[in-house]
Amino acid sequence: MNWKKSLRAAGLVVALTFSLVGCNTEGSYSPQEIIDQALQETKEPLTYYGEYTMDMGDIGGKAQVKEWTKDGKRRIEMTAENGEHIITVNNGSQIIMYDVVKNTVHKMDIGKDSLGAFPSPRDQAESLFNIVKDTHDVKIAGEEEIAGRDTYKIVAKAKKEDTLLGEMEVWVDKKTWVTLKTITNSAGSKMTSEYTKMDENAKIDDAQFTLDIPKDAKVEEIGVPESESVTLDTVKEQLGEFLMVPEGNGLTLEDISLENVQEDRSVYTFTYLKNGQQDILVTVLKAKSNDTKEEPIVGIKEMDIRGQKGTFMDENKFSYIDWQENGYQYSIMNGNSERTIEDLVAYAKQMTIVK
């Protein structure tokens, strides 16, 4: 079992359901009123010390977690049942992850607009409820005590089967609006996270957000991948013959961006507008010669695309198709929420070879 790998696999659910924070009120509420209350900005960041357990079943096992939060900074110490021990600190300017067992450190600089920054609790909550508001039925399922604190229990059930995000149960602290317990059934796996201790009066020393890294630790700086605009001639020089969606009938090519994901593997993204509005994004890169068959993921289904075996996903106004053809990997994603899978397949059929 690899706890870090399992966390990445369920990262969407973990990130979106962690620590809902808002204002304190009293009374009886509808699910939407509780959600709205939890999404309100607080005047000052919440300070607390917490302990919780995580159980990701067969794919991730169990772990014990300690958490310190103060002034927007955060420290998490995670110890898994297989002996893995990971300490992660967000000190406001950098995210530092220290693997105690492997004695390795990964650092990432963060800023206001950095993709690597931890989302705020409000951002996490807003993302979660924006994702499920149209695809799930949400209701209050009672009031329970978690870690000695009174909570609202909110249940979200998917309106259709085979969705990436399945049934979710969330217990929200009535006083702090922190999520004290979650049970999610998503991406084919079940995950439970439950606080056993929550102390909002804890005195937290700023030293908690400084890591003493051993001198013999292997340190790696992680940068956010940069992209640059390129010309069609540049793509032709690098790829040779490849398929491209032609312009016409109101569809125009706005930009081509290049991102190097690996030393010898570049991704080209073609952004198309339809009557002045973003319509689709098409990516092309050289296919891996040693691709191995992966286990199916809930929400991703197989379909025939241009006579090739491909896959598609259609989840909550996000749609894309993906396939390999003549040594290249292609995908088409909707840039317009009104675009359907059928529209994307139609675009794929229109693609022609450019040299």
Side-chain angles (χ1 to χ4, degrees), residues 302-312 323 345 349:
E302 295 184 352
M303 73 179 307
D304 182 87
I305 304 172
R306 292 180 53 88
Q308 311 294 323
K309 289 184 178 180
T311 60
F312 77 94
W323 76 100
V345 171
K349 290 181 178 178

Side-chain angles (χ1 to χ4, degrees), residues 19-30:
S19 300
L20 305 184
V21 178
C23 301
N24 175 28
T25 61
E26 297 179 357
S28 299
Y29 305 98
S30 69

Side-chain angles (χ1 to χ4, degrees), residues 16-80:
L16 297 182
T17 59
F18 196 84
S19 300
L20 305 184
V21 178
C23 301
N24 175 28
T25 61
E26 297 179 357
S28 299
Y29 305 98
S30 69
Q32 189 58 51
E33 287 171 331
I34 292 176
I35 291 168
D36 290 342
Q37 193 69 37
L39 295 182
Q40 289 184 17
E41 290 279 12
T42 53
K43 293 181 180 180
E44 296 181 4
L46 191 65
T47 295
Y48 65 88
Y49 168 75
E51 296 179 4
Y52 61 96
T53 60
M54 294 182 69
D55 185 350
M56 294 181 63
D58 294 337
I59 69 164
K62 299 179 181 179
Q64 302 295 321
V65 183
K66 296 180 180 180
E67 174 193 11
W68 295 260
T69 300
K70 179 184 178 182
D71 298 332
K73 299 177 182 180
R74 196 164 161 206
R75 178 189 181 106
I76 297 175
E77 293 193 13
M78 184 180 302
T79 305

Side-chain angles (χ1 to χ4, degrees), residues 13-22 34-40 119-133 170 172 177-179:
V13 176
V14 175
L16 297 182
T17 59
F18 196 84
S19 300
L20 305 184
V21 178
I34 292 176
I35 291 168
D36 290 342
Q37 193 69 37
L39 295 182
Q40 289 184 17
S120 71
R122 181 185 182 276
D123 290 338
Q124 296 162 13
E126 189 171 22
S127 297
L128 171 65
F129 288 115
N130 281 338
I131 286 174
V132 304
K133 67 180 181 181
V170 181
V172 181
W177 300 99
V178 170
T179 296

Side-chain angles (χ1 to χ4, degrees), residues 27 66 97 111 115 117-118 167 188 203 228 258 296 298 332 343-344:
K66 296 180 180 180
M97 187 179 76
L115 295 175
F118 285 168
E167 182 175 328
K203 294 182 179 180
E228 60 176 311
L258 163 65
V298 173
I332 303 179
D343 292 332
L344 303 186

Side-chain angles (χ1 to χ4, degrees), residues 151-169:
T151 70
Y152 293 107
K153 179 182 178 181
I154 300 175
V155 175
K157 291 189 176 182
K159 296 178 181 179
K160 64 178 183 178
E161 297 181 356
D162 245 9
T163 60
L164 180 62
L165 295 175
E167 182 175 328
M168 291 177 281
E169 298 175 80

Side-chain angles (χ1 to χ4, degrees), residues 21-303:
V21 178
C23 301
N24 175 28
T25 61
E26 297 179 357
S28 299
Y29 305 98
S30 69
Q32 189 58 51
E33 287 171 331
I34 292 176
I35 291 168
D36 290 342
Q37 193 69 37
L39 295 182
Q40 289 184 17
E41 290 279 12
T42 53
K43 293 181 180 180
E44 296 181 4
L46 191 65
T47 295
Y48 65 88
Y49 168 75
E51 296 179 4
Y52 61 96
T53 60
M54 294 182 69
D55 185 350
M56 294 181 63
D58 294 337
I59 69 164
K62 299 179 181 179
Q64 302 295 321
V65 183
K66 296 180 180 180
E67 174 193 11
W68 295 260
T69 300
K70 179 184 178 182
D71 298 332
K73 299 177 182 180
R74 196 164 161 206
R75 178 189 181 106
I76 297 175
E77 293 193 13
M78 184 180 302
T79 305
E81 61 182 356
N82 70 339
E84 286 187 296
H85 184 194
I86 310 295
I87 302 174
T88 304
V89 170
N90 177 355
N91 61 21
S93 61
Q94 226 179 21
I95 293 175
I96 305 171
M97 187 179 76
Y98 174 42
D99 188 320
V100 178
V101 177
K102 294 183 179 179
N103 199 29
T104 58
V105 178
H106 291 85
K107 294 182 177 182
M108 179 186 295
D109 291 332
I110 58 175
K112 183 177 179 181
D113 300 319
S114 172
L115 295 175
F118 285 168
S120 71
R122 181 185 182 276
D123 290 338
Q124 296 162 13
E126 189 171 22
S127 297
L128 171 65
F129 288 115
N130 281 338
I131 286 174
V132 304
K133 67 180 181 181
D134 295 326
T135 59
H136 288 61
D137 291 317
V138 183
K139 67 177 183 179
I140 296 176
E143 300 178 14
E144 297 181 15
E145 187 175 286
I146 304 293
R149 304 176 70 91
D150 294 329
T151 70
Y152 293 107
K153 179 182 178 181
I154 300 175
V155 175
K157 291 189 176 182
K159 296 178 181 179
K160 64 178 183 178
E161 297 181 356
D162 245 9
T163 60
L164 180 62
L165 295 175
E167 182 175 328
M168 291 177 281
E169 298 175 80
V170 181
W171 286 257
V172 181
D173 188 345
K174 288 185 178 182
K175 184 178 181 182
T176 65
W177 300 99
V178 170
T179 296
L180 295 182
K181 181 178 179 179
T182 61
I183 299 177
T184 59
N185 291 277
S186 305
S189 62
K190 180 178 180 179
M191 188 184 93
T192 301
S193 174
E194 181 173 359
Y195 277 82
T196 56
K197 183 175 183 178
M198 163 62 70
D199 184 0
E200 61 185 297
N201 297 313
K203 294 182 179 180
I204 300 176
D205 195 305
D206 289 339
Q208 290 287 0
F209 308 107
T210 301
L211 273 180
D212 293 325
I213 300 172
K215 294 182 179 180
D216 61 343
K218 181 181 179 181
V219 180
E220 179 181 348
E221 300 282 347
I222 301 175
V224 178
E226 295 183 357
S227 62
E228 60 176 311
S229 292
V230 296
T231 65
L232 182 57
D233 286 338
T234 298
V235 184
K236 292 177 181 179
E237 291 174 5
Q238 297 298 317
L239 297 182
E241 294 186 4
F242 66 96
L243 293 169
M244 179 176 168
V245 176
E247 297 179 280
N249 297 321
L251 188 73
T252 59
L253 178 62
E254 179 192 33
D255 179 65
I256 306 174
S257 64
L258 163 65
E259 183 178 313
N260 294 308
V261 294
Q262 294 177 2
E263 186 175 344
D264 60 344
R265 204 159 180 247
S266 300
V267 178
Y268 296 92
T269 301
F270 295 71
T271 301
Y272 288 86
L273 304 182
K274 183 80 169 182
N275 299 323
Q277 300 295 321
Q278 190 175 94
D279 195 56
I280 58 171
L281 293 91
V282 182
T283 64
V284 56
L285 68 160
K286 292 181 179 179
K288 287 184 178 180
S289 58
N290 59 344
D291 276 348
T292 57
K293 187 174 180 60
E294 299 180 351
E295 294 182 6
I297 300 175
V298 173
I300 297 180
K301 302 176 182 178
E302 295 184 352
M303 73 179 307

